[in-house]
Amino acid sequence: MPDRLGKLGHIGIAVDNLEEAKLLYSKVLGFTLTAEKEMPERGLKVAFLETGNTKIELLEGTTPGSAITKFVEKRGTGIHHLSFEVSDIKRVMGELKEEGVRFLDKEPRTGAEGHLTAFLHPKSAMGVLLEIEEE
Ligand code: ZN
């Protein structure tokens, strides 16, 4: 595992209808559905699908205030974030903060797959929302 960001863990895709998106990715595009989770505390339903060595996370907002609902309203459905694996999220966050990188999350929190995750501020990553996830 590299010192900082490791391999791409998944690509997050914001959708407005999780059932339709799951059908597209599984039945049409041939991905395998590997996990699904409702996160009412974040106004979120997610599904993970895999093909080859690539994993995607489909995210649907379930409340008007959820970040995904707002994202889809403002920018439409599409790529929402890229998630990279890290071996020690607290160390990597600390090192990146020392480099001037800003985070949306002050502290790592538990993500949909039960691992610790944190999001970098898109302004610190050329407009891309990057997630780091401890593996
Ligand atoms: Zn993610």
Side-chain angles (χ1 to χ4, degrees), residues 93 97 103-109 117-120:
M93 274 183 94
K97 282 179 183 170
F103 280 83
L104 296 179
D105 300 297
K106 279 202 179 79
E107 295 292 330
R109 54 184 181 161
T117 79
F119 284 94
L120 279 65

